[in-house]
């Protein structure tokens, strides 16, 4: 019996690791999330059981309390379970909870990291989270805690000069804008990237005071990454055009 957590990367199926592909090829069961690209399932054996356990806001989804015992069930019944999760399983992916639960039930575990969308999506869009003379550090913050509130860490981050990356924050955009305005950051650049690394990627760039209007005009929604900081303006139009052309050729 074995559980292997595999990070699927930020979206583009080519951005999974080679080790992750090897795990998929060996799996008896693959439990996969909503943000996993369907092409990745082509790496599975023909006889492997594929189980969708996605969690999406506003849609029917599995809850974590159901997923944990399912992992144990499938491991005991079939052998090797691969838990395929978008991004990196240990960055807001609740991966450690699944590993801990499996270990408590006598199941061997392994973790294969993935590219986190927190840095891979901005990079793909031409936004460096750090660059000399502009930003020397970055925060990665969840947009919503388990209580449904903004993270208290965001208040601290907003007062720093660091780049701030917010995951799962689109439905809290009004509150995020209000927070940054309250500390005098109205003119701070903001980039929001939907479906990052994929052919249908959308990106809007503005500042704290204009970003909501730009999001509405462009029809940008979930899943999206919010990047706040001076580096957000470095995603130049020429780079965006090049990225779009590359995506169309894939």
């Amino acid at each position: 019996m074995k559980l292997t957590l595999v990070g699927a990367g930020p979206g583009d199926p080519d951005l999974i690791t080679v080790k992750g592909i090897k795990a998929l090829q060996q799996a008896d069961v693959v439990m996969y999330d909503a943000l996993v690209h369907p092409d990745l399932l082509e790496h599975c054996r023909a006889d492997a059981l594929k189980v969708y356990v996605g969690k999406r806001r506003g849609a029917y989804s599995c809850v974590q309390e159901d997923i944990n015992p399912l992992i144990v069930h499938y491991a005991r019944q079939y052998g090797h379970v691969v838990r395929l999760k978008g991004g990196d399983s240990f960055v807001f992916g609740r991966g450690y909870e699944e590993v801990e639960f499996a270990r408590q039930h006598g199941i061997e575990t392994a973790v294969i990291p993935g590219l986190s969308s927190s840095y891979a999506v901005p990079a793909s869009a031409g936004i460096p989270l750090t660059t000399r003379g502009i930003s020397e550090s970055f925060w990665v913050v969840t947009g919503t805690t388990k209580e449904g509130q903004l993270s208290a860490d965001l208040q601290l981050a907003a007062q720093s000069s660091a780049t701030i990356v917010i995951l799962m924050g689109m439905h809290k955009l009004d509150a995020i804008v209000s927070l940054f305005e309250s500390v005098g950051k109205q003119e701070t650049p903001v980039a929001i990237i939907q479906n990052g690394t994929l052919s249908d990627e959308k990106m809007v760039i503005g500042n704290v005071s204009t970003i909501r209007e730009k999001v509405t005009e462009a029809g940008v929604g979930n899943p999206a990454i919010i990047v706040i900081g001076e580096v957000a303006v470095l995603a130049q139009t020429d780079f965006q055009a090049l990225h779009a052309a590359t995506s169309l050729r894939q």
Side-chain angles (χ1 to χ4, degrees), residues 62-136:
C62 291
V63 296
Q64 194 66 47
E65 290 73 20
D66 292 335
I67 294 172
N68 292 345
L70 277 176
I71 290 171
V72 173
H73 167 74
Y74 286 124
R76 287 175 173 169
Q77 186 169 353
Y78 293 94
H80 185 194
V81 175
V82 163
R83 182 73 173 91
L84 186 61
K85 300 162 89 60
D88 183 277
S89 304
F90 277 15
V91 180
F92 299 125
R94 303 190 70 174
Y96 184 75
E97 296 174 44
E98 296 176 358
V99 166
E100 185 179 36
F101 191 88
R103 288 173 179 168
Q104 289 171 352
H105 289 79
I107 296 169
E108 178 188 356
T109 64
V111 178
I112 299 175
L115 286 173
S116 171
S117 61
S118 63
Y119 57 81
V121 165
S124 179
I127 300 173
L129 298 186
T130 63
T131 192
R132 184 170 294 185
I134 299 178
S135 175
E136 60 187 28

Side-chain angles (χ1 to χ4, degrees), residues 33-55:
D33 280 353
L35 295 179
V36 168
H37 197 288
D39 285 2
L40 291 177
L41 299 179
E42 296 177 6
H43 295 293
C44 302
R45 300 197 321 254
D47 63 338
L49 181 65
K50 305 174 189 68
V51 183
Y52 174 75
V53 288
K55 293 177 285 187

